[in-house]
Amino acid sequence: MSALSSRRRGAPRRPPERAELWLGALAATLLLLIAGMLAFVFKEAWPSFSHNGLAWFGSGGNTGQQLAAIYESPANPDEYVYHLRAWPLLYGTLLSTGLAVLIGLPFALLCSLFMVEFAPPGLKRIMTPVVRFLAAVPSVVYGLIGILVLAPWIDRHLVSASFKLDVNAIVPVSGGGLLLASIILMVMIVPIMIAIISDALRAVPRSWVEGSAALGVNRWRTMWKVSVRTARPAIAAAVVLATARALGEAIMLAMVSGSFIWAPNPLDGLNFFLEPIMPLAATIVGQQEGFSAVPLGQTLYAIAAVLLVSSAILSFAGWAVRQPLRKYAAR
Amino acid sequence: MSALATPPRDPRAPLPGPRRTKARDSASSWPLRDRIGLALCWGAGITLTLVAGSVLLYMCFKGITQLRPAMLWTHPSSDVDQSQTGGFLDPIQGTLMLTTIGIAIAVPIGVSVALWLVEYGRPAPLARAVESAVDIIAGSPSVVLALFGLSFFSESFLSWMSFHAEDAAFGRSFMIAGTVMSLIALPLVVGATREALLQVPNHVREASLALGKTKASTIRAVLLPAVRPGIATGTALGMGRIIGDTAIVILLLGNTLTIQPRDGAAPVVGLLQGTGSTLTSYIYGNSPTGEGNAPEKAYAAAFVLLLIVVALNALATRIARGRGKDTAWIR
Amino acid sequence: MPPPPIRKISLDAPPTVVHVPPVPLDGNGNGHAGPAGGVHTPGPPPSEAPVLERMRCDAVTIAYGPKVAVNRVDLPIAQGEVLAMIGPSGCGKTTLLRSLNRLTELTATASRGGRILLDGQDIDALEVTTLRKRVSMVFQQPNPFPMSVFDNVAYGLREGGSKRPRKKELMEPVERALTRAGLWHEVKENLDHPALRLSGGQQQRLCIARSLAAQPEVLLMDEPCSALDPISTAKIEELILELREQIAVVIVTHNLQQAQRVADKVAFMYLGELVEYAPGEQLFNAPQAQRTRDYVGGAFG
């Protein structure tokens, strides 16, 4: 593999090289496969959307009962039930993802700065494995800790007995819910953001940092105005990736979000955060045993399609955000 | 000190002794706003470390108190009595098999795609399409990929990959789950390799090309060694995601407690076509959300899972470090 | 922790005798005109401004880990004249230059002995940000930030203090700095263009403008022209001669002709030691030390 072993050649210009063709063919195959997958998902999802129209995204009725009715559809394809108002699922996803990313981003940025620049050498050495570790812990382990340790704690200390009694008939409140889901989601996505952002911060050319220092600008401002500025495309990428992960997290959320299809009511004050949610991805896991019932399977594909479209929109947003920033880039 | 002193030029001001000068500017002179920022930085970094520390310590505590060595080589079995449900030998084997399959598919494809994107990338529209396809995969929740796999691999022309009867395939097996797993690892491999390639300065490529080497041999002799830490990082991240993923396992591995090779097939092929479980699905199954509900077993398995994940990460870090020294110039 | 490396080395290897010609200096700042050299050589036109000592190195020793890069250098730096530091690669010129505003501290292994004074005050006693505002630096490779031209020049003004000035207030100092750097007419239409789109020479002058905007008292230049073409080089040399009237300029250069063109005083360094410090024409025409003679002679054939 050493650079010396490869022979010198006369470098005749013969475009395109064989390597290029092979690699290109591979990439094109991958592209076809992914495009096929998208088409397949949307094809399967179509019946659910076409029966409900835009009302699919609206609210109305009890979503849990609607899913049950879809599962119990008659076997005759003409009598399939598709009626679904999925707003509580969308709302749950938006809330948990939004909270986790909004709180997680500044936290991750600060952690990255700490880890790259401000931590004393000893701590700096610890921080990298810490981030690695948090990113490596499987979501099911977070879910396990959430459901066995944190949910009972929240249930005991934060959920008031009167609130529980008030809503008992409508919705079970047991510790698992929006608050717990968002917190654990944040713990899960922050390491991803830190990894991306700190990498970018480290890659900021030393000459810029020195140039700023030579002007008598202190380290905080130097990091903030030069390094973080330079790392903005990476920050956008970090947000996009983290949001995508949060959107798609299924198992952990299925474990800690309260296992009940419900849209938390902001009018409930702080109790809002304690009410259960049921994000889209968790719904798929929760309902997967009924997958063989064709209409439910198609409904699950519809949910999957919504997730796919959201992540596609996200990637596009991330790309669009990065465009104006490129103007100043060296490359 | 006196041995060092030169006759001072100004007798009233003796020379100070040699010392290591303070490496940094002191925060005490900074404007208040900057100092608040620094404090927040510290707060975030310490919080993150504490969270990681408590997760680690808690899981170690639970693992050490719940794990019996015999669990590691006992097959699991289902029983009402928790003490009779055996260990998790099969889930451990399942995890290892699935990871091997997934990585074996993802790394060669991922590195090739990244190489093609960065080093060739023409025709440009194709490159952009491939890039966004990889982005879409990266943004796709694993549960969506699993759902897709469930239908796709049930198609009769793919029935050789799983249990199958005359006309229909079961659509669940190690091979299928591993293939879908490779999709979730792929973007990480592509991303890490691409980043590393982009950081190789152009003059390095030009220097190699100027020696008369072809682009292909430049890739092999110069670029691949240079980006090896990047590939290692991507592989480690990909492994972590495969090992930690639960949704794909639950949907695509058949979720049988023990490994069930397909009857009447050659040994290895039968294993690949067979079903089983992994540590993650075992934990999920034994959490209060799952069917087993044996928290002690779940904790023990989670501890083993964590050990595997941490060990793999440490290994990957070492590989990256060993090779990374040669390429310190990249920064 | 091993003991600081400098002590050990200076005990092991006593410094060789350094030929430092007596430097006429007046501590009160009532300097007198430049050197009274009788020989006529192509050199910089004599400065109009009075010569004032601003900085002084006092037995400065700098080491990276155990490796001594600069060994017991005594050197005055004066306003009103340009000091050029010459010498072969790796002789410690750049290290010495970087230590003048404590940029060496960004290297974790660096340590320093001796004293550096700015206007009679030890620079270690100054807050490092204050010091660097007063003693600014231009680097070998142009390093404009990835921002607009305007933001680059305004950077030091915006981020140096505790209060962020408005853009309107910055317009005037930015224009002044760009004018002093001779760049105003080239960029006044494109102040919001990315600085990295400028040519190399323009980028370097932008970096000079960026340093000048904060109104430093000493400007350190580390081979500012080594990455530039002859025309850009000529512009920057012209600029250096103008700047010396108001601020002390120290320039590190590999290029002896350049030293001859711009420097009033020249310091020749070799293997971390200051071999000779003298007015430009004297050092080039009648060097005292043998090593200087060899080095300079090589250039003059």
Side-chain angles (χ1 to χ4, degrees):
Chain A
M1 275 311 269
S2 96
L4 295 172
S5 69
S6 45
R7 286 156 289 139
R8 285 180 71 158
R9 289 179 204 166
R13 201 77 212 136
R14 42 173 179 150
E17 288 172 28
R18 214 177 39 190
E20 177 176 7
L21 288 179
W22 275 109
L23 293 175
L26 192 73
T29 315
L30 184 71
L31 175 65
L32 276 182
L33 194 91
I34 292 166
M37 188 192 91
L38 293 182
F40 184 85
V41 169
F42 287 113
K43 190 201 97 200
E44 289 290 309
W46 181 245
S48 180
F49 288 130
S50 67
H51 276 79
N52 291 293
L54 276 180
W56 196 95
F57 299 94
S59 63
N62 184 328
T63 309
Q65 284 166 11
Q66 289 161 7
L67 284 170
I70 294 173
Y71 177 60
E72 284 153 12
S73 297
N76 180 357
D78 296 335
E79 293 169 42
Y80 281 165
V81 177
Y82 283 107
H83 179 78
L84 182 71
R85 300 288 177 265
W87 171 247
L89 313 178
L90 294 164
Y91 181 59
T93 307
L94 287 177
L95 279 179
S96 55
T97 305
L99 271 179
V101 173
L102 280 183
I103 305 171
L105 175 64
F107 187 77
L109 186 56
L110 287 169
C111 282
S112 311
L113 285 171
F114 184 68
M115 164 173 183
V116 171
E117 177 69 23
F118 297 107
L123 258 179
K124 245 184 215 173
R125 238 171 288 140
I126 298 177
M127 288 295 284
T128 315
V130 157
V131 171
R132 279 249 169 140
F133 172 76
L134 283 175
V137 173
S139 64
V140 70
V141 174
Y142 282 123
L144 192 70
I145 295 177
I147 196 169
L148 288 177
V149 182
L150 299 178
W153 190 87
I154 290 179
D155 194 31
R156 238 174 301 139
H157 295 96
L158 298 182
V159 181
S160 66
S162 60
F163 174 64
K164 219 171 180 172
L165 212 63
D166 277 352
V167 296
N168 200 22
I170 320 164
V171 48
V173 175
S174 61
L178 176 59
L179 176 70
L180 185 55
S182 307
I183 288 178
I184 301 186
L185 211 46
M186 193 183 110
V187 173
M188 288 176 64
I189 61 173
V190 155
I192 302 168
M193 295 200 267
I194 295 179
I196 299 173
I197 297 174
S198 62
D199 255 19
L201 288 179
R202 284 200 197 93
V204 171
R206 205 179 146 72
S207 66
W208 288 344
V209 176
E210 280 189 351
S212 173
L215 291 170
V217 174
N218 68 40
R219 277 195 297 150
W220 175 261
R221 294 273 176 97
T222 298
M223 287 311 283
W224 202 250
K225 296 293 170 182
V226 176
S227 301
V228 173
R229 238 184 110 95
T230 311
R232 277 181 308 179
I235 294 173
V239 169
V240 167
L241 251 179
T243 313
R245 289 259 352 234
L247 271 182
E249 181 47 51
I251 295 296
M252 184 279 288
L253 288 177
M255 291 168 89
V256 304
S257 58
S259 306
F260 189 81
I261 298 181
W262 176 255
N265 183 356
L267 298 178
D268 290 344
L270 285 180
N271 287 327
F272 167 74
F273 293 102
L274 301 173
E275 294 173 16
I277 54 171
M278 179 60 84
L280 291 166
T283 314
I284 299 181
V285 172
Q287 304 285 333
Q288 59 101 7
E289 281 167 24
F291 180 78
S292 47
V294 175
L296 185 64
Q298 289 170 332
T299 305
L300 296 187
Y301 269 111
I303 293 176
V306 171
L307 285 173
L308 274 180
V309 169
S310 341
S311 62
I313 292 174
L314 262 177
S315 323
F316 178 75
W319 175 81
V321 166
R322 270 173 281 168
Q323 285 319 295
L325 304 179
R326 273 208 190 139
K327 181 166 92 164
Y328 294 106
R331 210 177 257 123
Chain B
M1 290 293 148
S2 60
L4 176 86
T6 44
R9 296 187 165 274
D10 180 358
R12 283 158 302 174
L15 273 177
R19 74 226 162 276
R20 183 157 294 206
T21 43
K22 206 171 42 145
R24 297 274 147 82
D25 56 330
S26 65
S28 56
S29 67
W30 295 2
L32 183 63
R33 228 177 42 166
D34 300 1
R35 273 186 284 166
I36 292 174
L38 183 69
L40 288 177
C41 237
W42 270 84
I46 300 289
T47 309
L48 190 82
T49 316
L50 286 182
V51 168
S54 38
V55 169
L56 182 67
L57 285 180
Y58 183 77
M59 289 314 295
C60 284
F61 167 70
K62 278 294 180 187
I64 289 165
T65 50
Q66 308 291 353
L67 181 67
R68 303 280 164 273
M71 288 178 185
L72 296 176
W73 53 78
T74 319
H75 294 284
S77 63
S78 54
D79 199 295
V80 186
D81 184 0
Q82 255 199 67
S83 61
Q84 299 301 313
T85 52
F88 33 85
L89 172 66
D90 295 73
I92 293 177
Q93 291 170 337
T95 295
L96 295 183
M97 276 173 62
L98 215 50
T99 313
T100 314
I101 302 171
I103 286 300
I105 301 176
V107 169
I109 297 183
V111 172
S112 311
V113 168
L115 276 174
W116 181 76
L117 279 175
V118 176
E119 300 305 322
Y120 299 103
R122 57 186 185 186
L126 180 65
R128 262 207 303 279
V130 170
E131 224 168 287
S132 12
V134 173
D135 271 359
I136 284 174
I137 283 291
S140 301
S142 66
V143 69
V144 171
L145 298 175
L147 206 58
F148 162 72
L150 199 52
S151 292
F152 183 69
F153 290 103
S154 304
E155 301 287 337
S156 46
F157 74 99
L158 288 167
S159 60
W160 53 271
M161 289 180 86
S162 64
F163 276 104
H164 52 272
E166 292 287 303
D167 53 342
F170 184 48
R172 298 172 170 88
S173 74
F174 273 104
M175 217 189 295
I176 289 172
T179 309
V180 177
M181 283 291 191
S182 75
L183 280 183
I184 64 170
L186 188 75
L188 295 165
V189 178
V190 173
T193 312
R194 238 187 88 178
E195 274 312 301
L197 279 171
L198 285 175
Q199 280 186 16
V200 177
N202 258 332
H203 62 78
V204 172
R205 294 182 180 84
E206 282 155 13
S208 173
L209 291 175
L211 286 175
K213 288 183 185 159
T214 59
K215 207 155 184 184
S217 66
T218 302
I219 287 175
R220 193 161 34 85
V222 179
L223 294 180
L224 272 182
V227 299
R228 222 176 292 165
I231 298 175
T233 312
T235 308
L237 290 171
M239 279 183 159
R241 261 187 97 174
I242 293 181
I243 292 177
D245 198 273
T246 320
I248 292 177
V249 181
I250 287 180
L251 267 69
L252 290 181
L253 201 52
N255 218 10
T256 50
L257 210 46
T258 52
I259 292 179
Q260 308 275 344
R262 190 170 77 86
D263 292 333
V268 177
V269 179
L271 209 56
L272 290 176
Q273 290 177 331
T275 60
S277 59
T278 65
L279 282 169
T280 52
S281 69
Y282 182 84
I283 296 168
Y284 183 72
N286 281 313
S287 76
T289 325
E291 287 143 14
N293 198 5
E296 287 83 3
K297 288 279 163 61
Y299 271 129
F303 178 61
V304 174
L305 180 63
L306 265 190
L307 285 187
I308 296 177
V309 162
V310 169
L312 267 172
N313 261 285
L315 186 74
T317 313
R318 275 195 60 171
I319 296 169
R321 196 176 292 148
R323 312 273 189 234
K325 282 224 169 88
D326 308 331
T327 54
W329 48 266
I330 288 181
R331 290 258 154 82
Chain C
M1 275 301 269
I6 290 171
R7 166 198 291 233
K8 201 176 97 213
I9 282 169
S10 36
L11 280 175
D12 289 351
T16 48
V17 181
V18 178
H19 302 271
V20 182
V23 183
L25 275 165
D26 189 340
N28 300 329
N30 304 320
H32 51 84
V39 200
H40 233 74
T41 49
S47 168
E48 304 292 322
V51 174
L52 263 166
E53 182 182 283
R54 298 307 298 264
M55 290 190 87
R56 167 172 284 282
C57 296
D58 221 354
V60 169
T61 300
I62 302 160
Y64 295 112
K67 189 179 162 288
V68 174
V70 173
N71 196 2
R72 295 189 167 218
V73 168
D74 302 279
L75 196 65
I77 294 158
Q79 179 176 326
E81 55 181 30
V82 175
L83 169 66
M85 295 207 254
I86 59 170
S89 297
C91 69
K93 314 176 294 277
T94 296
T95 301
L96 181 61
L97 191 77
R98 286 166 65 89
S99 74
L100 291 178
N101 70 353
R102 289 169 64 186
L103 270 183
T104 35
E105 293 172 9
L106 292 179
T107 312
T109 55
S111 52
R112 197 187 81 220
R115 267 188 326 178
I116 300 174
L117 304 177
L118 173 63
D119 289 340
Q121 198 180 7
D122 193 325
I123 62 167
D124 289 345
L126 286 168
E127 186 50 51
V128 72
T129 50
T130 318
L131 168 71
R132 288 179 187 156
K133 264 175 236 162
R134 293 174 64 184
V135 183
S136 198
M137 174 130 172
V138 174
F139 296 82
Q140 184 171 3
Q141 290 288 336
N143 61 346
F145 302 130
M147 318 167 176
S148 70
V149 171
F150 181 91
D151 288 345
N152 258 285
V153 182
Y155 180 84
L157 301 171
R158 273 182 179 149
E159 311 306 335
S162 50
K163 235 186 106 203
R164 270 178 81 91
R166 289 166 203 284
K167 189 157 184 174
K168 265 187 198 156
E169 301 171 69
L170 287 170
M171 207 54 221
E172 197 249 316
V174 166
E175 178 179 343
R176 190 156 20 118
L178 282 169
T179 311
R180 277 177 87 187
L183 196 60
W184 175 248
H185 291 289
E186 291 164 53
V187 299
K188 65 181 172 191
E189 309 293 328
N190 315 330
L191 285 177
D192 53 349
H193 278 211
L196 288 161
R197 296 260 175 88
L198 297 178
S199 74
Q202 287 175 326
Q203 285 190 12
Q204 192 61 299
R205 277 180 286 150
L206 179 70
C207 292
I208 296 174
R210 188 173 72 186
S211 294
L212 292 177
Q215 310 223 325
E217 297 155 36
V218 181
L219 184 63
L220 311 174
M221 304 178 109
D222 184 6
E223 300 183 38
C225 303
S226 68
L228 303 183
D229 61 281
I231 294 173
S232 303
T233 303
K235 279 187 182 155
I236 288 180
E237 285 176 5
E238 210 172 290
L239 179 59
I240 292 171
L241 288 177
E242 279 165 30
L243 286 176
R244 72 176 169 176
E245 311 283 325
Q246 301 129 22
I247 60 183
V249 178
V250 185
I251 175 170
V252 162
T253 177
H254 265 126
N255 182 333
L256 294 184
Q257 283 83 356
Q258 181 174 58
Q260 220 174 356
R261 284 194 295 269
V262 299
D264 302 284
K265 294 275 171 57
V266 178
F268 170 59
M269 289 185 71
Y270 187 72
L271 294 180
E273 284 171 17
L274 178 64
V275 177
E276 187 159 353
Y277 168 77
E281 59 266 43
Q282 187 190 327
L283 188 130
F284 285 115
N285 293 322
Q288 305 284 308
Q290 182 60 41
R291 282 177 293 184
T292 318
R293 218 169 293 145
D294 294 345
Y295 184 73
V296 173
F300 294 141

